[in-house]
Amino acid sequence: MASKPEAVQPVWGAVPSAFSLLRLWPRAASTKDDHQRELGLLAESGLNVVTSPELQQNSTGPVAELLDVDIDDAGNYIHTLAIRQPAKPAAESPESPPRHSLVLTHGYFTGIGFYFRNYHELSQVPNWDVYSIDWLGMGRSSRPAYHSRRGDGEDARVAHAESFFVESLEEWRQRLGIERMTLCGHSFGGYMSALYALKYPDRVEKLVLVSPIGIPEAPPDFDEKLRQGYGPARRRGRASPPSERTPEYEAAEAAEAAEPASKSGGPSRTQIMWFRLAMNLWERNFTPQWVVRSAGPLSRRLIDMYVGRFTWLSELQRSALAAYAHQISVLPGSSESALGDILRPGAFARRPLVNRLHALAVPTVFMYGANDWVDFTGGEQVIRRITANVDTRLFRIPRAGHNLHLENAADFNRVLVGEMRAISD
């Protein structure tokens, strides 16, 4: 499918020409400009993204292409990276093994480019096609107006946000004709992927949740801690081990036991003030992307500071990732504001998944970083509560935090490839 032209529009409204400094304000880039930054990042993955039918026909290995998949008649589409195995002539392989599909969904404040360290290895698994999507209203997908239901009560607010993403994913699946898929979601993408598997279990061959947000219930004293200015803290207490103690889990357990206990003190008055301000903005659906867009000429600097923490990447990779992240962050706001509809201030879900995922009826795998701020014991709780007779696993990836697919791509890829091969081999 051809990329859709997108008008160049200012993120900030019209301003008097006398304020010439505001000419430096970031503008929503055209699809073509966005495409170049995305291609630059994907080039770091070793992927050969084809740009013409001729190149696609002449390829002997997996073929990667960027698609905008229409999902309705209103012009909305989901931006997709499709990496497909070349079709073999029937004469060469009259009884070809079945094809399988892996679908990757990204986390919040990111896009399909953030899996750039994973695509090449995942696409080498025989008989597997790999797809990666930008959620509707995020990344380079279309940006429809998103209307929060926060005035209609919490249940309606959450249900509307969840349906927005789950139903658009189902429409995307139908348009591409994918019968069943291994659905792998990171963080926010894990939350929505789990809900999709609950509603459409017949379409999910296996569910892989990578550091998913929104699982545990908030502690009983959490509201009081918020009032006192405490943000979310990583829980250090241990629950019972998962059903299968993998080598990765054991290594992560040992590493955590060796960490010195952190010194904690109460927040200062300044910290309390800023935290309460952040809580207030969160409840009103303000987002990190809004902050970036509002920063004007300093917006790229903010992104450089964020990506600069990724010291495990090369300087060239950080530069390519920052350019891509900045470009998708200054595009017009849309469904990014749904984060405040599903999470309370402090990053606990308004409707915790731990009370809903017991109904999962598909094989389910959890993956967490050994130094993840998301509590892995939430995954353990879900595994214990699942009532269906399905396979479950929990892995903790060493030398990694929340972005484990970026931080320790080798171990992340190895675990995910193993889960893929368990289906197809």
mmCIF file with all atom_site columns, all heavy atoms in Angstrom, residues 9-31:
data_model
loop_
_atom_site.group_PDB
_atom_site.id
_atom_site.type_symbol
_atom_site.label_atom_id
_atom_site.label_alt_id
_atom_site.label_comp_id
_atom_site.label_asym_id
_atom_site.label_entity_id
_atom_site.label_seq_id
_atom_site.pdbx_PDB_ins_code
_atom_site.Cartn_x
_atom_site.Cartn_y
_atom_site.Cartn_z
_atom_site.occupancy
_atom_site.B_iso_or_equiv
_atom_site.pdbx_formal_charge
_atom_site.auth_seq_id
_atom_site.auth_comp_id
_atom_site.auth_asym_id
_atom_site.auth_atom_id
_atom_site.pdbx_PDB_model_num
ATOM 1   N N   . GLN A 1 9  ? 1.452  20.523 9.077  1.00 0.00 ? 9  GLN A N   1
ATOM 2   C CA  . GLN A 1 9  ? 0.693  21.441 9.905  1.00 0.00 ? 9  GLN A CA  1
ATOM 3   C C   . GLN A 1 9  ? 1.500  21.799 11.140 1.00 0.00 ? 9  GLN A C   1
ATOM 4   O O   . GLN A 1 9  ? 2.198  20.950 11.690 1.00 0.00 ? 9  GLN A O   1
ATOM 5   C CB  . GLN A 1 9  ? -0.629 20.796 10.346 1.00 0.00 ? 9  GLN A CB  1
ATOM 6   C CG  . GLN A 1 9  ? -1.536 20.435 9.179  1.00 0.00 ? 9  GLN A CG  1
ATOM 7   C CD  . GLN A 1 9  ? -2.786 19.725 9.662  1.00 0.00 ? 9  GLN A CD  1
ATOM 8   O OE1 . GLN A 1 9  ? -2.857 19.296 10.812 1.00 0.00 ? 9  GLN A OE1 1
ATOM 9   N NE2 . GLN A 1 9  ? -3.763 19.620 8.801  1.00 0.00 ? 9  GLN A NE2 1
ATOM 10  N N   . PRO A 1 10 ? 1.402  23.036 11.623 1.00 0.00 ? 10 PRO A N   1
ATOM 11  C CA  . PRO A 1 10 ? 2.127  23.393 12.839 1.00 0.00 ? 10 PRO A CA  1
ATOM 12  C C   . PRO A 1 10 ? 1.505  22.731 14.050 1.00 0.00 ? 10 PRO A C   1
ATOM 13  O O   . PRO A 1 10 ? 0.297  22.602 14.143 1.00 0.00 ? 10 PRO A O   1
ATOM 14  C CB  . PRO A 1 10 ? 1.993  24.920 12.907 1.00 0.00 ? 10 PRO A CB  1
ATOM 15  C CG  . PRO A 1 10 ? 0.736  25.211 12.148 1.00 0.00 ? 10 PRO A CG  1
ATOM 16  C CD  . PRO A 1 10 ? 0.660  24.176 11.065 1.00 0.00 ? 10 PRO A CD  1
ATOM 17  N N   . VAL A 1 11 ? 2.359  22.297 14.963 1.00 0.00 ? 11 VAL A N   1
ATOM 18  C CA  . VAL A 1 11 ? 1.851  21.754 16.214 1.00 0.00 ? 11 VAL A CA  1
ATOM 19  C C   . VAL A 1 11 ? 1.234  22.865 17.041 1.00 0.00 ? 11 VAL A C   1
ATOM 20  O O   . VAL A 1 11 ? 0.216  22.706 17.690 1.00 0.00 ? 11 VAL A O   1
ATOM 21  C CB  . VAL A 1 11 ? 2.990  21.070 16.989 1.00 0.00 ? 11 VAL A CB  1
ATOM 22  C CG1 . VAL A 1 11 ? 2.551  20.702 18.393 1.00 0.00 ? 11 VAL A CG1 1
ATOM 23  C CG2 . VAL A 1 11 ? 3.452  19.834 16.256 1.00 0.00 ? 11 VAL A CG2 1
ATOM 24  N N   . TRP A 1 12 ? 1.863  24.022 17.027 1.00 0.00 ? 12 TRP A N   1
ATOM 25  C CA  . TRP A 1 12 ? 1.338  25.194 17.731 1.00 0.00 ? 12 TRP A CA  1
ATOM 26  C C   . TRP A 1 12 ? 0.524  26.031 16.747 1.00 0.00 ? 12 TRP A C   1
ATOM 27  O O   . TRP A 1 12 ? 0.804  26.052 15.561 1.00 0.00 ? 12 TRP A O   1
ATOM 28  C CB  . TRP A 1 12 ? 2.507  26.003 18.291 1.00 0.00 ? 12 TRP A CB  1
ATOM 29  C CG  . TRP A 1 12 ? 2.128  26.885 19.444 1.00 0.00 ? 12 TRP A CG  1
ATOM 30  C CD1 . TRP A 1 12 ? 1.865  28.208 19.429 1.00 0.00 ? 12 TRP A CD1 1
ATOM 31  C CD2 . TRP A 1 12 ? 2.004  26.469 20.794 1.00 0.00 ? 12 TRP A CD2 1
ATOM 32  N NE1 . TRP A 1 12 ? 1.584  28.660 20.667 1.00 0.00 ? 12 TRP A NE1 1
ATOM 33  C CE2 . TRP A 1 12 ? 1.658  27.619 21.542 1.00 0.00 ? 12 TRP A CE2 1
ATOM 34  C CE3 . TRP A 1 12 ? 2.136  25.257 21.460 1.00 0.00 ? 12 TRP A CE3 1
ATOM 35  C CZ2 . TRP A 1 12 ? 1.447  27.574 22.918 1.00 0.00 ? 12 TRP A CZ2 1
ATOM 36  C CZ3 . TRP A 1 12 ? 1.932  25.216 22.825 1.00 0.00 ? 12 TRP A CZ3 1
ATOM 37  C CH2 . TRP A 1 12 ? 1.587  26.371 23.538 1.00 0.00 ? 12 TRP A CH2 1
ATOM 38  N N   . GLY A 1 13 ? -0.487 26.666 17.230 1.00 0.00 ? 13 GLY A N   1
ATOM 39  C CA  . GLY A 1 13 ? -1.348 27.429 16.340 1.00 0.00 ? 13 GLY A CA  1
ATOM 40  C C   . GLY A 1 13 ? -0.640 28.628 15.728 1.00 0.00 ? 13 GLY A C   1
ATOM 41  O O   . GLY A 1 13 ? 0.529  28.911 15.969 1.00 0.00 ? 13 GLY A O   1
ATOM 42  N N   . ALA A 1 14 ? -1.369 29.396 14.913 1.00 0.00 ? 14 ALA A N   1
ATOM 43  C CA  . ALA A 1 14 ? -0.814 30.564 14.252 1.00 0.00 ? 14 ALA A CA  1
ATOM 44  C C   . ALA A 1 14 ? -0.400 31.595 15.298 1.00 0.00 ? 14 ALA A C   1
ATOM 45  O O   . ALA A 1 14 ? -1.077 31.807 16.297 1.00 0.00 ? 14 ALA A O   1
ATOM 46  C CB  . ALA A 1 14 ? -1.844 31.158 13.303 1.00 0.00 ? 14 ALA A CB  1
ATOM 47  N N   . VAL A 1 15 ? 0.712  32.258 15.060 1.00 0.00 ? 15 VAL A N   1
ATOM 48  C CA  . VAL A 1 15 ? 1.223  33.263 15.990 1.00 0.00 ? 15 VAL A CA  1
ATOM 49  C C   . VAL A 1 15 ? 1.612  34.496 15.189 1.00 0.00 ? 15 VAL A C   1
ATOM 50  O O   . VAL A 1 15 ? 1.899  34.418 13.995 1.00 0.00 ? 15 VAL A O   1
ATOM 51  C CB  . VAL A 1 15 ? 2.458  32.738 16.762 1.00 0.00 ? 15 VAL A CB  1
ATOM 52  C CG1 . VAL A 1 15 ? 2.063  31.607 17.681 1.00 0.00 ? 15 VAL A CG1 1
ATOM 53  C CG2 . VAL A 1 15 ? 3.542  32.277 15.812 1.00 0.00 ? 15 VAL A CG2 1
ATOM 54  N N   . PRO A 1 16 ? 1.626  35.653 15.833 1.00 0.00 ? 16 PRO A N   1
ATOM 55  C CA  . PRO A 1 16 ? 2.031  36.879 15.135 1.00 0.00 ? 16 PRO A CA  1
ATOM 56  C C   . PRO A 1 16 ? 3.449  36.746 14.601 1.00 0.00 ? 16 PRO A C   1
ATOM 57  O O   . PRO A 1 16 ? 4.329  36.200 15.254 1.00 0.00 ? 16 PRO A O   1
ATOM 58  C CB  . PRO A 1 16 ? 1.937  37.951 16.230 1.00 0.00 ? 16 PRO A CB  1
ATOM 59  C CG  . PRO A 1 16 ? 0.975  37.384 17.236 1.00 0.00 ? 16 PRO A CG  1
ATOM 60  C CD  . PRO A 1 16 ? 1.185  35.906 17.209 1.00 0.00 ? 16 PRO A CD  1
ATOM 61  N N   . SER A 1 17 ? 3.665  37.271 13.410 1.00 0.00 ? 17 SER A N   1
ATOM 62  C CA  . SER A 1 17 ? 4.974  37.149 12.781 1.00 0.00 ? 17 SER A CA  1
ATOM 63  C C   . SER A 1 17 ? 6.055  37.886 13.556 1.00 0.00 ? 17 SER A C   1
ATOM 64  O O   . SER A 1 17 ? 7.236  37.616 13.368 1.00 0.00 ? 17 SER A O   1
ATOM 65  C CB  . SER A 1 17 ? 4.910  37.696 11.348 1.00 0.00 ? 17 SER A CB  1
ATOM 66  O OG  . SER A 1 17 ? 4.492  39.055 11.362 1.00 0.00 ? 17 SER A OG  1
ATOM 67  N N   . ALA A 1 18 ? 5.664  38.820 14.436 1.00 0.00 ? 18 ALA A N   1
ATOM 68  C CA  . ALA A 1 18 ? 6.665  39.555 15.193 1.00 0.00 ? 18 ALA A CA  1
ATOM 69  C C   . ALA A 1 18 ? 7.470  38.633 16.098 1.00 0.00 ? 18 ALA A C   1
ATOM 70  O O   . ALA A 1 18 ? 8.626  38.904 16.419 1.00 0.00 ? 18 ALA A O   1
ATOM 71  C CB  . ALA A 1 18 ? 5.990  40.639 16.049 1.00 0.00 ? 18 ALA A CB  1
ATOM 72  N N   . PHE A 1 19 ? 6.861  37.530 16.504 1.00 0.00 ? 19 PHE A N   1
ATOM 73  C CA  . PHE A 1 19 ? 7.591  36.596 17.351 1.00 0.00 ? 19 PHE A CA  1
ATOM 74  C C   . PHE A 1 19 ? 8.382  35.649 16.456 1.00 0.00 ? 19 PHE A C   1
ATOM 75  O O   . PHE A 1 19 ? 8.064  34.476 16.289 1.00 0.00 ? 19 PHE A O   1
ATOM 76  C CB  . PHE A 1 19 ? 6.622  35.819 18.249 1.00 0.00 ? 19 PHE A CB  1
ATOM 77  C CG  . PHE A 1 19 ? 5.885  36.699 19.220 1.00 0.00 ? 19 PHE A CG  1
ATOM 78  C CD1 . PHE A 1 19 ? 4.605  37.137 18.931 1.00 0.00 ? 19 PHE A CD1 1
ATOM 79  C CD2 . PHE A 1 19 ? 6.488  37.092 20.404 1.00 0.00 ? 19 PHE A CD2 1
ATOM 80  C CE1 . PHE A 1 19 ? 3.926  37.949 19.828 1.00 0.00 ? 19 PHE A CE1 1
ATOM 81  C CE2 . PHE A 1 19 ? 5.814  37.891 21.301 1.00 0.00 ? 19 PHE A CE2 1
ATOM 82  C CZ  . PHE A 1 19 ? 4.529  38.342 21.013 1.00 0.00 ? 19 PHE A CZ  1
ATOM 83  N N   . SER A 1 20 ? 9.417  36.167 15.860 1.00 0.00 ? 20 SER A N   1
ATOM 84  C CA  . SER A 1 20 ? 10.162 35.388 14.861 1.00 0.00 ? 20 SER A CA  1
ATOM 85  C C   . SER A 1 20 ? 10.825 34.158 15.467 1.00 0.00 ? 20 SER A C   1
ATOM 86  O O   . SER A 1 20 ? 11.085 33.182 14.761 1.00 0.00 ? 20 SER A O   1
ATOM 87  C CB  . SER A 1 20 ? 11.230 36.267 14.209 1.00 0.00 ? 20 SER A CB  1
ATOM 88  O OG  . SER A 1 20 ? 12.100 36.801 15.183 1.00 0.00 ? 20 SER A OG  1
ATOM 89  N N   . LEU A 1 21 ? 11.108 34.193 16.778 1.00 0.00 ? 21 LEU A N   1
ATOM 90  C CA  . LEU A 1 21 ? 11.748 33.038 17.394 1.00 0.00 ? 21 LEU A CA  1
ATOM 91  C C   . LEU A 1 21 ? 10.874 31.795 17.263 1.00 0.00 ? 21 LEU A C   1
ATOM 92  O O   . LEU A 1 21 ? 11.376 30.673 17.161 1.00 0.00 ? 21 LEU A O   1
ATOM 93  C CB  . LEU A 1 21 ? 12.037 33.327 18.869 1.00 0.00 ? 21 LEU A CB  1
ATOM 94  C CG  . LEU A 1 21 ? 12.688 32.189 19.669 1.00 0.00 ? 21 LEU A CG  1
ATOM 95  C CD1 . LEU A 1 21 ? 14.047 31.844 19.054 1.00 0.00 ? 21 LEU A CD1 1
ATOM 96  C CD2 . LEU A 1 21 ? 12.832 32.577 21.139 1.00 0.00 ? 21 LEU A CD2 1
ATOM 97  N N   . LEU A 1 22 ? 9.565  31.987 17.255 1.00 0.00 ? 22 LEU A N   1
ATOM 98  C CA  . LEU A 1 22 ? 8.651  30.846 17.203 1.00 0.00 ? 22 LEU A CA  1
ATOM 99  C C   . LEU A 1 22 ? 8.652  30.179 15.843 1.00 0.00 ? 22 LEU A C   1
ATOM 100 O O   . LEU A 1 22 ? 7.996  29.157 15.661 1.00 0.00 ? 22 LEU A O   1
ATOM 101 C CB  . LEU A 1 22 ? 7.236  31.289 17.580 1.00 0.00 ? 22 LEU A CB  1
ATOM 102 C CG  . LEU A 1 22 ? 7.085  31.787 19.012 1.00 0.00 ? 22 LEU A CG  1
ATOM 103 C CD1 . LEU A 1 22 ? 5.624  32.067 19.327 1.00 0.00 ? 22 LEU A CD1 1
ATOM 104 C CD2 . LEU A 1 22 ? 7.637  30.770 19.996 1.00 0.00 ? 22 LEU A CD2 1
ATOM 105 N N   . ARG A 1 23 ? 9.388  30.729 14.882 1.00 0.00 ? 23 ARG A N   1
ATOM 106 C CA  . ARG A 1 23 ? 9.536  30.020 13.613 1.00 0.00 ? 23 ARG A CA  1
ATOM 107 C C   . ARG A 1 23 ? 10.308 28.726 13.813 1.00 0.00 ? 23 ARG A C   1
ATOM 108 O O   . ARG A 1 23 ? 10.266 27.833 12.965 1.00 0.00 ? 23 ARG A O   1
ATOM 109 C CB  . ARG A 1 23 ? 10.269 30.906 12.606 1.00 0.00 ? 23 ARG A CB  1
ATOM 110 C CG  . ARG A 1 23 ? 9.456  32.121 12.168 1.00 0.00 ? 23 ARG A CG  1
ATOM 111 C CD  . ARG A 1 23 ? 10.272 33.016 11.246 1.00 0.00 ? 23 ARG A CD  1
ATOM 112 N NE  . ARG A 1 23 ? 9.552  34.223 10.892 1.00 0.00 ? 23 ARG A NE  1
ATOM 113 C CZ  . ARG A 1 23 ? 10.073 35.229 10.219 1.00 0.00 ? 23 ARG A CZ  1
ATOM 114 N NH1 . ARG A 1 23 ? 11.351 35.168 9.832  1.00 0.00 ? 23 ARG A NH1 1
ATOM 115 N NH2 . ARG A 1 23 ? 9.351  36.291 9.934  1.00 0.00 ? 23 ARG A NH2 1
ATOM 116 N N   . LEU A 1 24 ? 11.041 28.659 14.916 1.00 0.00 ? 24 LEU A N   1
ATOM 117 C CA  . LEU A 1 24 ? 11.792 27.447 15.215 1.00 0.00 ? 24 LEU A CA  1
ATOM 118 C C   . LEU A 1 24 ? 10.927 26.375 15.865 1.00 0.00 ? 24 LEU A C   1
ATOM 119 O O   . LEU A 1 24 ? 11.390 25.284 16.133 1.00 0.00 ? 24 LEU A O   1
ATOM 120 C CB  . LEU A 1 24 ? 12.968 27.778 16.152 1.00 0.00 ? 24 LEU A CB  1
ATOM 121 C CG  . LEU A 1 24 ? 14.012 28.746 15.609 1.00 0.00 ? 24 LEU A CG  1
ATOM 122 C CD1 . LEU A 1 24 ? 15.043 29.045 16.694 1.00 0.00 ? 24 LEU A CD1 1
ATOM 123 C CD2 . LEU A 1 24 ? 14.690 28.164 14.378 1.00 0.00 ? 24 LEU A CD2 1
ATOM 124 N N   . TRP A 1 25 ? 9.659  26.712 16.129 1.00 0.00 ? 25 TRP A N   1
ATOM 125 C CA  . TRP A 1 25 ? 8.789  25.743 16.798 1.00 0.00 ? 25 TRP A CA  1
ATOM 126 C C   . TRP A 1 25 ? 8.664  24.496 15.936 1.00 0.00 ? 25 TRP A C   1
ATOM 127 O O   . TRP A 1 25 ? 8.523  24.580 14.726 1.00 0.00 ? 25 TRP A O   1
ATOM 128 C CB  . TRP A 1 25 ? 7.407  26.356 17.010 1.00 0.00 ? 25 TRP A CB  1
ATOM 129 C CG  . TRP A 1 25 ? 6.814  25.954 18.315 1.00 0.00 ? 25 TRP A CG  1
ATOM 130 C CD1 . TRP A 1 25 ? 5.946  24.948 18.530 1.00 0.00 ? 25 TRP A CD1 1
ATOM 131 C CD2 . TRP A 1 25 ? 7.046  26.579 19.574 1.00 0.00 ? 25 TRP A CD2 1
ATOM 132 N NE1 . TRP A 1 25 ? 5.625  24.879 19.850 1.00 0.00 ? 25 TRP A NE1 1
ATOM 133 C CE2 . TRP A 1 25 ? 6.291  25.884 20.522 1.00 0.00 ? 25 TRP A CE2 1
ATOM 134 C CE3 . TRP A 1 25 ? 7.841  27.643 19.999 1.00 0.00 ? 25 TRP A CE3 1
ATOM 135 C CZ2 . TRP A 1 25 ? 6.271  26.207 21.874 1.00 0.00 ? 25 TRP A CZ2 1
ATOM 136 C CZ3 . TRP A 1 25 ? 7.814  27.964 21.333 1.00 0.00 ? 25 TRP A CZ3 1
ATOM 137 C CH2 . TRP A 1 25 ? 7.050  27.267 22.253 1.00 0.00 ? 25 TRP A CH2 1
ATOM 138 N N   . PRO A 1 26 ? 8.712  23.289 16.562 1.00 0.00 ? 26 PRO A N   1
ATOM 139 C CA  . PRO A 1 26 ? 8.640  22.069 15.754 1.00 0.00 ? 26 PRO A CA  1
ATOM 140 C C   . PRO A 1 26 ? 7.309  21.949 15.039 1.00 0.00 ? 26 PRO A C   1
ATOM 141 O O   . PRO A 1 26 ? 6.276  22.357 15.555 1.00 0.00 ? 26 PRO A O   1
ATOM 142 C CB  . PRO A 1 26 ? 8.797  20.956 16.786 1.00 0.00 ? 26 PRO A CB  1
ATOM 143 C CG  . PRO A 1 26 ? 8.336  21.560 18.070 1.00 0.00 ? 26 PRO A CG  1
ATOM 144 C CD  . PRO A 1 26 ? 8.750  23.007 17.999 1.00 0.00 ? 26 PRO A CD  1
ATOM 145 N N   . ARG A 1 27 ? 7.344  21.405 13.849 1.00 0.00 ? 27 ARG A N   1
ATOM 146 C CA  . ARG A 1 27 ? 6.137  21.237 13.064 1.00 0.00 ? 27 ARG A CA  1
ATOM 147 C C   . ARG A 1 27 ? 5.921  19.761 12.773 1.00 0.00 ? 27 ARG A C   1
ATOM 148 O O   . ARG A 1 27 ? 6.860  18.990 12.706 1.00 0.00 ? 27 ARG A O   1
ATOM 149 C CB  . ARG A 1 27 ? 6.240  22.009 11.741 1.00 0.00 ? 27 ARG A CB  1
ATOM 150 C CG  . ARG A 1 27 ? 6.332  23.507 11.944 1.00 0.00 ? 27 ARG A CG  1
ATOM 151 C CD  . ARG A 1 27 ? 6.581  24.227 10.644 1.00 0.00 ? 27 ARG A CD  1
ATOM 152 N NE  . ARG A 1 27 ? 6.610  25.666 10.860 1.00 0.00 ? 27 ARG A NE  1
ATOM 153 C CZ  . ARG A 1 27 ? 5.553  26.456 10.779 1.00 0.00 ? 27 ARG A CZ  1
ATOM 154 N NH1 . ARG A 1 27 ? 4.375  25.942 10.486 1.00 0.00 ? 27 ARG A NH1 1
ATOM 155 N NH2 . ARG A 1 27 ? 5.660  27.758 10.984 1.00 0.00 ? 27 ARG A NH2 1
ATOM 156 N N   . ALA A 1 28 ? 4.657  19.402 12.598 1.00 0.00 ? 28 ALA A N   1
ATOM 157 C CA  . ALA A 1 28 ? 4.346  18.016 12.262 1.00 0.00 ? 28 ALA A CA  1
ATOM 158 C C   . ALA A 1 28 ? 4.912  17.711 10.890 1.00 0.00 ? 28 ALA A C   1
ATOM 159 O O   . ALA A 1 28 ? 4.593  18.358 9.913  1.00 0.00 ? 28 ALA A O   1
ATOM 160 C CB  . ALA A 1 28 ? 2.827  17.809 12.268 1.00 0.00 ? 28 ALA A CB  1
ATOM 161 N N   . ALA A 1 29 ? 5.791  16.752 10.848 1.00 0.00 ? 29 ALA A N   1
ATOM 162 C CA  . ALA A 1 29 ? 6.473  16.443 9.604  1.00 0.00 ? 29 ALA A CA  1
ATOM 163 C C   . ALA A 1 29 ? 5.551  15.751 8.626  1.00 0.00 ? 29 ALA A C   1
ATOM 164 O O   . ALA A 1 29 ? 4.567  15.120 8.995  1.00 0.00 ? 29 ALA A O   1
ATOM 165 C CB  . ALA A 1 29 ? 7.675  15.552 9.887  1.00 0.00 ? 29 ALA A CB  1
ATOM 166 N N   . SER A 1 30 ? 5.857  15.866 7.352  1.00 0.00 ? 30 SER A N   1
ATOM 167 C CA  . SER A 1 30 ? 5.103  15.138 6.350  1.00 0.00 ? 30 SER A CA  1
ATOM 168 C C   . SER A 1 30 ? 5.430  13.662 6.440  1.00 0.00 ? 30 SER A C   1
ATOM 169 O O   . SER A 1 30 ? 6.428  13.260 7.041  1.00 0.00 ? 30 SER A O   1
ATOM 170 C CB  . SER A 1 30 ? 5.460  15.650 4.951  1.00 0.00 ? 30 SER A CB  1
ATOM 171 O OG  . SER A 1 30 ? 6.801  15.311 4.652  1.00 0.00 ? 30 SER A OG  1
ATOM 172 N N   . THR A 1 31 ? 4.581  12.828 5.847  1.00 0.00 ? 31 THR A N   1
ATOM 173 C CA  . THR A 1 31 ? 4.817  11.394 5.853  1.00 0.00 ? 31 THR A CA  1
ATOM 174 C C   . THR A 1 31 ? 6.175  11.073 5.249  1.00 0.00 ? 31 THR A C   1
ATOM 175 O O   . THR A 1 31 ? 6.894  10.197 5.723  1.00 0.00 ? 31 THR A O   1
ATOM 176 C CB  . THR A 1 31 ? 3.707  10.673 5.067  1.00 0.00 ? 31 THR A CB  1
ATOM 177 O OG1 . THR A 1 31 ? 2.458  10.946 5.692  1.00 0.00 ? 31 THR A OG1 1
ATOM 178 C CG2 . THR A 1 31 ? 3.928  9.175  5.056  1.00 0.00 ? 31 THR A CG2 1
#
